[in-house]
Amino acid sequence: MSNVYGKPVPPKKDRREMARESARQLREEQQKKEKRNRWLLRGGIGAGLIAAAVVVALVVVGSQGPAAPGPLNMASDGVLLGGDGTNIVPVETVSVAADENPIATDPTTLGDTANIVVYADYLCPFCGQFETTNGEQIAGWVAAGTATLELHPISILDPVSAGSKYPTRAAAAVACVANHEPENVLALNAALFANQPAENTEGLTDEDLVSLATSAGVTDEKVATCITENTFAAWVGTATKRALDGPLPNADIEQVKGTPTVLVNGVSYPGVLDDPAAFEAFVTAQATAE
């Protein structure tokens, strides 16, 4: 038996031991990180960063307009992707009305897989780092049917996009593709991070976003209109507020406090963002946990 990369898979007993050891190491690293953060805060070094994060959250929550209907295939506020052993297959869902709550994904319907959920802002450099490091291996797991991926595009960094609201527009573009051609969502997600602008810039124009969607395989002309008219911008604001306010469904944390927020089988990932082996070990630990 081998994994999606053709490497031999150890016996189940050994996999459990490896998973427990990986989880233990990750917990130790997280404890070290938390201890360091507490030390920094006592010295006042991290206070400015935390204050900035709070301001961003308050600006986002306070600047959203009225609730808006969501796109097709994002009833949970995210687009769910599975696999048939070879290809990535989006899960089709209804559109949620403006006055309705999102419909949380039922993890019991997903089978014996690692259920990966990612909340990301397309201007967030750490989100870009996570995607660059882990995007390809996650896509491989999903296509092989050993994992599912639920993408939640949110916008917490509008205040640092030079007035262009790029995070909202980029997330809305993903919603447009999910609504019309969900099979191309993952390709657009990768393209957005591959072409990620820097913070404190205006980012990509709506026309640039249309071009990226086309390069990601989108052919439906309705997508271009949806993007240039910012059809789902208001919905992005509503979905972002829900993520920031909580409670998050199927999660061991109450709310999104920063991006990327990554969950595997409901457990938040505490590890580094630039080590694919660390993330693989975490996914293995959650997938094999009893």
Side-chain angles (χ1 to χ4, degrees), residues 248-288:
L248 296 183
N250 308 316
D252 66 346
I253 55 175
E254 181 68 15
Q255 61 205 159
V256 168
K257 294 184 178 179
T259 53
T261 291
V262 182
L263 306 162
V264 180
N265 288 1
V267 181
S268 52
Y269 174 56
V272 296
L273 303 175
D274 59 353
D275 185 348
F279 184 64
E280 182 176 14
F282 181 77
V283 171
T284 300
Q286 303 315 312
T288 58

Side-chain angles (χ1 to χ4, degrees), residues 54 56-62 64 77 119 154 156 237-249 253-258:
V54 172
V56 167
L58 289 175
V59 169
V60 170
V61 171
Q64 304 309 327
D77 281 349
Y119 293 81
I154 61 176
I156 64 174
T238 302
T240 298
K241 187 176 188 302
R242 282 193 283 253
L244 293 174
D245 288 350
L248 296 183
I253 55 175
E254 181 68 15
Q255 61 205 159
V256 168
K257 294 184 178 179

Side-chain angles (χ1 to χ4, degrees), residues 164-231:
S164 77
K165 295 187 177 181
Y166 174 73
T168 290
R169 292 187 296 107
V174 172
C176 288
V177 174
N179 188 79
H180 295 288
E181 290 189 20
E183 65 274 16
N184 289 313
V185 162
L186 195 59
L188 177 58
N189 177 75
L192 285 167
F193 282 121
N195 293 274
Q196 186 179 51
E199 292 176 303
N200 297 307
T201 68
E202 292 182 357
L204 306 178
T205 66
D206 290 340
E207 290 70 24
D208 292 333
L209 291 172
V210 171
S211 295
L212 274 187
T214 301
S215 70
V218 171
T219 58
D220 193 330
E221 294 180 357
K222 294 177 182 177
V223 172
T225 302
C226 181
I227 291 174
T228 56
E229 293 183 353
N230 291 305
T231 300

Side-chain angles (χ1 to χ4, degrees), residues 33-241:
K33 181 179 178 182
E34 290 175 351
K35 182 177 180 180
R36 176 178 177 274
N37 286 344
R38 286 196 296 271
W39 180 83
L40 290 173
L41 287 173
R42 282 199 298 271
I45 297 173
L49 292 176
I50 290 181
V54 172
V55 169
V56 167
L58 289 175
V59 169
V60 170
V61 171
S63 65
Q64 304 309 327
L72 290 169
N73 310 312
M74 297 188 77
S76 67
D77 281 349
V79 57
L80 178 62
L81 306 170
D84 61 8
T86 303
N87 301 305
I88 294 174
V89 182
V91 176
E92 296 183 0
T93 68
V94 298
S95 171
V96 175
D99 59 348
E100 293 180 334
N101 292 323
I103 304 169
T105 299
D106 181 357
T108 65
T109 66
L110 302 180
D112 187 19
T113 62
N115 306 314
I116 303 169
V117 179
V118 179
Y119 293 81
D121 182 305
Y122 287 105
L123 193 60
C124 162
F126 299 111
C127 299
Q129 185 180 55
F130 179 80
E131 167 64 24
T132 299
T133 302
N134 298 289
E136 185 175 347
Q137 72 172 355
I138 291 174
W141 298 334
V142 175
T146 58
T148 61
L149 173 63
E150 189 168 313
L151 293 174
H152 288 255
I154 61 176
S155 59
I156 64 174
L157 293 179
D158 275 355
V160 291
S161 62
S164 77
K165 295 187 177 181
Y166 174 73
T168 290
R169 292 187 296 107
V174 172
C176 288
V177 174
N179 188 79
H180 295 288
E181 290 189 20
E183 65 274 16
N184 289 313
V185 162
L186 195 59
L188 177 58
N189 177 75
L192 285 167
F193 282 121
N195 293 274
Q196 186 179 51
E199 292 176 303
N200 297 307
T201 68
E202 292 182 357
L204 306 178
T205 66
D206 290 340
E207 290 70 24
D208 292 333
L209 291 172
V210 171
S211 295
L212 274 187
T214 301
S215 70
V218 171
T219 58
D220 193 330
E221 294 180 357
K222 294 177 182 177
V223 172
T225 302
C226 181
I227 291 174
T228 56
E229 293 183 353
N230 291 305
T231 300
F232 291 113
W235 170 81
V236 169
T238 302
T240 298
K241 187 176 188 302

